Amino acid sequence: MNGLVDEDDLQFEIPELPCGRTLCLELLSNWGDSKYIGLNAVEIFSDTGKRSEITKISTDASRSIGDVESIFVESFSCTDRSEMWRAEFEPNRCVRIEIEFVGRTRIAMIRFWNYSESRVHAQMGVRRLRAILDGFSIFDGEIDCAFTDHESEPMGETILFTTDESILESIAENDGCFEKSQEKNDYSRDITGDELALELTPDRPITREVNQLNSIKEKPTNITAPKVDDHKSIGKVKVLQLELCENWGAPGLIGLTGLELLDHNHDIIDPSTVTISSSNETQSDPKKLLNGNNLSRLADDMWLTSFDPKNPLTIIILFDKPTVVKAISFWNYNSSPEMAYAGVRLLNICFNGKPVANSVLLRKAPGFVLFDFVQDVRITCPPTVRTLIRPATKSIYGFIFQLRLLSTWGDEFYIGLNGIELYDRWDRKINVGPHNLAAFPESINILPSVEGDPRACLNLINGCNDTNR
């Protein structure tokens, strides 16, 4: 995510019918674009149910493309960039839009239509927005990304400042989008499986309860949802975002070696069906993350870029069509033991602009390739960072435990162990499988004169520890 984020991100309470004359919109962050932030349109309805009358609209953007007044023209479904507004987005500086009403106005509803030129350029759309009316904050939150594919119309983000039924009925009578939605409902059409999968509403979201709206305009709807298999619908993704929040300590750098996306069968999704980019693409090409060279120490096989903890980077992955993503495999940055500290430590995962896993903890890569250091993150049960309570004992915790065998009891040529068992702080045995274990050297089978010797490293975890065989 590009932009400003408050340190104290407290839950905001929306006021009832706020009243004022000057409304300031602070555009704090976008959905990943490194240069621009923009909006399609803004609709403001007063407590009379009518659109608020505006005398002046201005912006403090240092450079903008298009006329900022165009956001109050009814071009909600527009995808023509010449009729849209966007501004140059500078780090650590929000873009403000100031709106002056004819007189003091009680605001009942605001609807934001995010930037929707195309699916890729939708990343210019506003993500974090704050609305201030005469110096008092009336909204502080996130606006959905407009995932436009030219097959379905963009949808607005509606914010209600009242639950008064009479006011909402008046708004419905004057809401052009509501009328269009009702006209569409006159023509029966089926909701597509992709729309259900993405949890998108086929038409503009209704701002009232359905039974109340039907009492206003009795127009029957015949929309029925088809039966869709769960594994074909739930979790389908068009846009996947990885927000890189923290590294393992390297100053000014962050990186990854590789990524693999897994579908509902845990098969690898073909990298040729996705487009990958980052909010800091000028320094390193994120396409390296999908080159398949994941067990590597070559910096040319990896992705590394500059990093400021105050401005987390975002990796954006666009799918050619909605796709089920059940897990993501990560290989952290691994060019050397020292540079492994540039690897990602904490990240957030978003599907279609909605968080599905926050503060995911990735382990640091070892800095060598003696074993596969992949880490699989299941989206259905994402790991989160929790406070680790240290007991009074001298127990330790970590991702990788390494035992270095320094000497024997007298043998000059060989060293060995019968078995290894690990126990947690409650004296419960920790299950260790073949995928958890690696030894260097693996066994005496590496010697040129030895082949097929059964004394291999996997015997350390076979449970047969008290033996003389």
Side-chain angles (χ1 to χ4, degrees), residues 42-155:
V42 178
E43 296 179 89
I44 304 175
F45 290 85
S46 70
D47 59 346
T48 64
K50 298 180 180 180
R51 296 179 188 275
S52 301
E53 295 184 21
I54 296 168
T55 60
K56 182 181 177 182
I57 178 171
S58 60
T59 178
D60 68 350
S62 57
R63 179 175 174 268
S64 62
I65 300 175
D67 188 353
V68 69
E69 293 184 358
S70 67
I71 67 174
F72 280 93
V73 178
E74 294 188 23
S75 57
F76 315 130
S77 303
C78 174
T79 56
D80 184 356
R81 65 187 302 177
S82 64
E83 298 182 11
M84 304 163 73
W85 176 84
R86 65 187 187 276
E88 196 170 273
F89 197 50
E90 302 175 13
N92 301 320
R93 180 182 181 273
C94 71
V95 175
R96 292 179 175 85
I97 299 174
E98 191 167 283
I99 302 159
E100 290 189 14
F101 302 112
V102 171
R104 287 181 62 81
T105 301
R106 289 190 179 276
I107 297 177
M109 186 182 88
I110 300 178
R111 185 184 295 124
F112 296 100
W113 297 82
N114 226 336
Y115 196 87
S116 57
E117 176 187 342
S118 67
R119 189 175 65 179
V120 174
H121 291 96
Q123 297 165 27
M124 298 181 189
V126 178
R127 180 170 184 176
R128 179 84 183 278
L129 181 144
R130 182 185 296 124
I132 301 172
L133 184 64
D134 285 357
F136 294 95
S137 183
I138 62 172
F139 176 77
D140 190 340
E142 192 171 278
I143 306 299
D144 279 349
C145 187
F147 297 107
T148 304
D149 55 10
H150 296 285
E151 296 177 1
S152 59
E153 292 186 2
M155 295 180 297

Side-chain angles (χ1 to χ4, degrees), residues 228-240:
V228 184
D229 293 339
D230 287 345
H231 78 275
K232 293 182 179 179
S233 61
I234 297 175
K236 280 197 174 182
V237 185
K238 261 191 172 181
V239 179
L240 187 154

